[in-house]
């Protein structure tokens, strides 16, 4: 079944220059394999569409049940150059939690 | 065990936080982070206007306010409040708190050495774009090397009550007391990595005690009285994250995880001047109410290169807004945007970028925002950036006229035309560490 990522994970996002980082963390570490399978760099890049001009990199932190995404060229120039209200990407983590992921009932119950 | 608190996540953070940290329970060290990436350039301008300025001006009054408690409880302060003028900062602290011993860490400011570095063949290429520094040489406002925790520890060795640094890493402020008290050596990478990660967790103040936290945020108690973080550090590198009893907020495994991921790059290679920390080694455990234990951290050798933080004058920008109400608030806002752009075009004004957001519709989340087809009001927010100050200035006069000459219900212009701001940009680069020599000076 399809669920929003917010059912099983929380997130925090910030900036490094024109790159936004989003940490996505499973509430229950047993759901980490679902995160790792469903929330790929490609899906994150697709999800944000024109907002992310560059590549999306993904790093894995199984010890924290978490993934770290780097969204390059995603903050309108970043730092002081950016003309956006959210020049630091503080709200992008909350946006990503609306991503729909595919999960089986047994995975969700585990 | 020693207790290291962080009472300031950035310059402008809650003024009461450090005061409460020294009042509301036991701590041994108070770390205060004042410098964001471009703060140095702002301070450089202040110093050029007045040679006795160029540091975080909130810092001396804070020390004056808490000096009695610092003496009574033998709390030492470590802060990067020195900006581009640590000596002037120290003199002001001495003036308002004469009984405290103050030491400064010098050597991070390399603004006078860039030509020497360039002549020696160090291109100091922009780490993001690869461009050589020579392309912006004549526009540089400030240049500083990020220094690590060992020079700060040296200042603590010298018996300082207050250590004032310029551009050091945020994590160094918390790691320095551990090096000082536990006698950690430069090759003890695992311990240095542990202290660095402890510093990373607390460097944004209350972001690890329940602030900006997504997990059950509505249930986080008493955020008006949120407790700022305290590291309970052990000599073997283990540590707890906690806060004073009776304060608001929450310290839990979930909260600490969110902050661990904050502004993180490659988790296996968190590079500082002191070591390379591996975030994939971290183990977290709930250790009681508002207390999380952190252990098993591994680290690797420090890098051969230090990072430079260079600020340069890039150009000008201005951002202006108008508000339109329902019905058709979004359509009216879009029409206003089209009219402004057409008028700018007719004036022949050129900008590097014109960017429009519709506040209340998609400003934060862009194309992935939750659809809101008929919002009660929308703020149209138009920004321009360019090298030509006159063009940016002309733009600031093009918004308010729309109240009379554009779509109906235009309002929200009470603050007048928006200010033109200088864009100071950040140029990250690398330099061999042996070129950076630090020194500690006790200011009498």
């Amino acid at each position: 079944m399809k669920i929003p990522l917010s059912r099983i994970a929380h997130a925090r996002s910030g900036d490094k220059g024109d790159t936004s980082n989003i940490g996505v963390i499973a509430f229950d570490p047993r759901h980490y394999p679902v995160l790792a399978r469903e929330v790929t760099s490609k899906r994150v890049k697709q999800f944000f569409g024109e907002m992310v001009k560059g590549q999306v990199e993904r790093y894995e932190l199984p010890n924290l049940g978490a993934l770290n995404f780097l969204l390059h060229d995603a903050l309108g120039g970043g730092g002081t150059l950016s003309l956006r209200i959210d020049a630091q990407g503080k709200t992008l983590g909350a946006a990503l939690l609306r991503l729909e992921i595919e999960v089986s009932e047994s995975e969700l119950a585990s | 065990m020693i207790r290291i608190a962080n009472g300031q996540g950035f310059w402008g953070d809650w003024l009461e936080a450090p005061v409460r940290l020294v009042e509301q329970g036991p701590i041994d060290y108070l770390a205060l982070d004042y410098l964001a990436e471009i703060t140095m350039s702002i301070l450089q301008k202040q110093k050029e206007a007045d040679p006795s300025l160029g540091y975080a001006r909130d810092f001396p009054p804070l020390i004056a306010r808490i000096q009695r408690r610092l003496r009574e409880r033998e709390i030492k302060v470590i802060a990067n409040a020195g900006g581009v003028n640590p000596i002037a900062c120290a003199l002001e602290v001495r003036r308002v708190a004469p009984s405290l011993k103050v030491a400064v860490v010098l050597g991070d400011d390399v603004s006078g050495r860039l030509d020497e570095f360039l002549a020696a063949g160090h291109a100091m290429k922009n780490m993001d774009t690869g461009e050589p520094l020579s392309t912006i040489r004549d526009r540089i406002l400030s240049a500083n090397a990020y220094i690590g925790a060992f020079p700060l520890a040296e200042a603590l060795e010298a018996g300082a009550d207050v250590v004032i640094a310029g551009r050091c890493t945020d994590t160094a402020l918390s790691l320095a007391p551990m090096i000082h008290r536990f006698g950690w050596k430069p090759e003890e990478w695992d311990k240095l990595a542990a202290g660095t990660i402890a510093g990373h967790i607390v460097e944004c103040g209350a972001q690890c005690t329940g602030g900006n936290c997504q997990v059950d945020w509505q249930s986080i108690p008493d955020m008006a009285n949120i407790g700022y973080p305290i590291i309970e550090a052990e000599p073997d590198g283990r540590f707890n994250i906690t806060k004073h009893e009776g304060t608001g907020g929450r310290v839990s495994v979930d909260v600490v995880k969110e902050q661990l991921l904050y502004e993180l790059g490659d988790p296996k290679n968190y590079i500082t001047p002191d070591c390379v920390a591996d975030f994939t080694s971290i183990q977290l455990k709930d250790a009681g109410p508002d207390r999380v234990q952190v252990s098993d951290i591994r680290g690797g050798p420090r890098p051969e290169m230090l990072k430079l933080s260079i600020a340069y004058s890039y150009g000008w920008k201005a951002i202006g807004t108008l508000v339109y109400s329902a019905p058709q608030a979004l359509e009216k806002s879009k029409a206003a945007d089209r009219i402004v752009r057409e008028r700018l075009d007719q004036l022949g004004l050129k900008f590097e970028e014109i960017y429009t957001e519709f506040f209340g519709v998609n400003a934060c989340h862009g194309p992935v925002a939750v659809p809101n087809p008929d919002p009660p009001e929308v703020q149209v927010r138009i920004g321009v950036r360019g090298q030509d100050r006159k063009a940016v200035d002309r733009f600031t006069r093009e918004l308010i006229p729309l109240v009379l000459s554009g779509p109906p219900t235009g309002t929200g212009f009470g603050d007048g035309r928006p200010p033109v701001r200088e864009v100071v940009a950040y140029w990250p680069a690398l330099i061999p560490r042996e070129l950076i020599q630090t020194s500690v000076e006790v200011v009498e």
Side-chain angles (χ1 to χ4, degrees):
Chain A
M1 61 178 162
K2 284 197 187 310
I3 58 165
L5 180 55
S6 58
R7 275 277 297 279
I8 63 163
H10 56 116
R12 178 173 292 183
S13 54
D15 68 316
K16 272 272 182 282
D18 200 17
T19 298
S20 172
N21 106 288
I22 306 178
V24 179
I25 307 152
F27 290 119
D28 183 336
R30 288 172 299 181
H31 288 147
Y32 173 72
V34 178
L35 279 192
R37 183 190 69 220
E38 292 294 314
V39 194
T40 60
S41 312
K42 197 175 157 193
R43 286 215 63 201
V44 173
K45 168 90 176 153
Q46 273 171 354
F47 179 77
F48 283 107
E50 67 198 53
M51 254 185 131
V52 180
K53 313 272 185 233
Q55 291 303 302
V56 172
E57 284 182 275
R58 185 179 96 162
Y59 294 100
E60 298 174 0
L61 297 97
N63 55 317
L64 303 179
L67 299 171
N68 186 34
F69 292 92
L70 299 186
L71 284 53
H72 294 285
D73 303 330
L75 296 172
T80 51
L81 266 68
S82 180
L83 299 170
R84 288 199 200 162
I85 187 79
D86 188 19
Q88 287 78 27
K90 297 261 185 194
T91 70
L92 295 182
L96 183 58
L97 292 180
R98 295 181 58 235
L99 179 78
E100 279 209 328
I101 58 169
E102 185 69 43
V103 54
S104 69
E105 282 194 31
S106 61
E107 281 175 326
L108 208 52
S110 71
Chain B
M1 187 266 283
I2 57 171
R3 293 185 180 88
I4 305 157
N6 185 301
Q8 201 78 169
F10 64 99
W11 189 2
D13 201 358
W14 193 27
L15 288 171
E16 298 309 303
V19 179
R20 291 182 176 206
L21 277 169
V22 300
E23 294 285 344
Q24 293 181 329
I27 62 168
D28 302 300
Y29 295 90
L30 176 63
L32 302 164
D33 175 21
Y34 284 96
L35 300 182
E37 283 168 348
I38 62 137
T39 314
M40 300 303 267
S41 61
I42 299 163
L43 294 172
Q44 183 64 39
K45 285 190 171 176
Q46 292 176 0
K47 186 184 174 186
E48 280 162 19
D50 180 344
S52 70
L53 296 179
Y55 58 86
R57 273 185 281 177
D58 287 347
F59 182 68
L62 168 68
I63 297 301
R65 194 173 160 198
I66 63 176
Q67 58 181 314
R68 211 185 83 204
R69 277 278 184 264
L70 296 181
R71 280 197 310 272
E72 283 170 4
R73 300 187 172 181
E74 297 180 0
I75 299 165
K76 313 292 183 194
V77 177
I78 305 127
N80 55 11
V84 294
N85 205 351
I87 299 265
C89 183
L91 290 171
E92 181 61 9
V93 170
R94 288 279 302 153
R95 192 181 70 78
V96 298
S99 66
L100 296 176
K101 187 170 180 181
V102 181
V104 295
V105 177
L106 303 171
D108 63 298
D109 189 343
V110 295
S111 53
R113 298 179 65 195
L114 292 176
D115 292 321
E116 169 202 331
F117 294 163
L118 285 168
H122 304 291
M124 293 173 279
K125 286 180 189 165
N126 186 309
M127 289 166 72
D128 296 330
T129 65
E131 289 173 277
L133 188 71
S134 49
T135 57
I136 56 140
R137 176 67 191 94
D138 56 344
R139 289 186 279 151
I140 290 172
L141 301 169
S142 65
N144 297 77
Y146 279 91
I147 61 172
F150 280 89
L152 307 185
E154 197 185 319
L156 290 168
E157 303 290 335
D161 300 310
V162 178
V163 177
I164 298 172
R167 181 72 278 179
C168 64
T169 58
D170 303 346
T171 54
L173 300 169
S174 299
L175 173 58
M178 301 182 210
I179 292 171
H180 166 58
R181 287 287 285 273
F182 302 148
W184 291 351
K185 299 286 178 286
E187 309 77 34
E188 294 186 89
W189 310 123
D190 290 349
K191 288 176 182 169
L192 295 173
T196 295
I197 287 173
H200 173 84
I201 294 171
V202 302
E203 76 185 13
C204 294
Q207 262 201 160
C208 71
T209 57
N212 188 28
C213 179
Q214 287 194 347
V215 185
D216 286 336
W217 71 268
Q218 285 151 308
S219 76
I220 294 173
D222 196 15
M223 289 182 83
N225 294 294
I226 197 162
Y228 271 54
I230 297 166
I231 304 162
E232 295 174 334
E234 299 287 351
D236 64 2
R238 279 178 307 153
F239 62 92
N240 295 329
I241 299 294
T242 188
K243 62 189 185 68
H244 282 322
E245 269 180 53
T247 58
R250 175 178 293 151
V251 180
S252 69
V253 167
D254 287 340
V255 171
V256 171
K257 278 182 185 174
E258 275 195 24
Q259 182 54 22
L260 278 168
L261 274 285
Y262 185 65
E263 292 183 350
L264 183 65
D266 174 357
K268 284 183 189 291
N269 292 292
Y270 184 91
I271 302 168
T272 75
D274 304 304
C275 64
V276 175
D278 180 358
F279 278 52
T280 67
S281 64
I282 300 168
Q283 293 299 319
L284 299 177
K285 209 169 96 184
D286 190 341
D290 291 315
R291 184 171 272 105
V292 171
Q293 187 194 85
V294 189
S295 64
D296 295 75
I297 290 169
R298 291 190 309 268
R302 68 187 196 184
E304 290 305 311
M305 307 291 274
L306 292 185
K307 193 170 169 183
L308 292 179
S309 160
I310 298 169
Y312 67 101
S313 176
Y314 183 93
W316 305 90
K317 72 174 182 183
I319 297 166
T321 62
L322 282 174
V323 171
Y324 289 91
S325 82
Q328 296 117 26
L330 179 58
E331 289 78 358
K332 292 169 186 167
S333 298
K334 285 184 172 171
D337 178 48
R338 280 195 304 273
I339 295 165
V340 168
R341 285 173 183 255
E342 191 175 334
R343 289 179 181 175
L344 292 174
D345 204 38
Q346 286 169 10
L347 288 166
L349 299 177
K350 296 277 181 282
F351 300 98
E352 187 179 281
E353 187 180 8
I354 306 178
Y355 188 77
T356 306
E357 286 175 332
F358 299 99
F359 208 82
V361 179
N362 62 6
C364 288
H365 291 175
V368 296
V370 180
N372 188 4
D374 191 17
E377 64 243 349
V378 171
Q379 185 185 60
V380 55
R381 188 176 187 275
I382 308 175
V384 301
R385 182 183 63 239
Q387 308 291 327
D388 180 0
R389 183 177 185 164
K390 284 197 181 116
V392 175
D393 187 73
R394 189 67 177 79
F395 156 79
T396 66
R397 294 161 188 272
E398 287 299 325
L399 284 162
I400 299 177
L402 263 69
V403 173
L404 302 185
S405 67
T409 74
T411 187
F413 53 88
D415 291 334
R417 64 190 181 97
V420 175
R421 296 187 192 282
E422 183 176 10
V423 179
V424 174
Y426 174 66
W427 183 282
L430 295 173
I431 196 81
R433 71 183 305 144
E434 63 268 19
L435 292 177
I436 307 300
Q437 288 96 29
T438 59
S439 62
V440 170
E441 199 168 309
V442 176
V443 177
E444 304 292 350

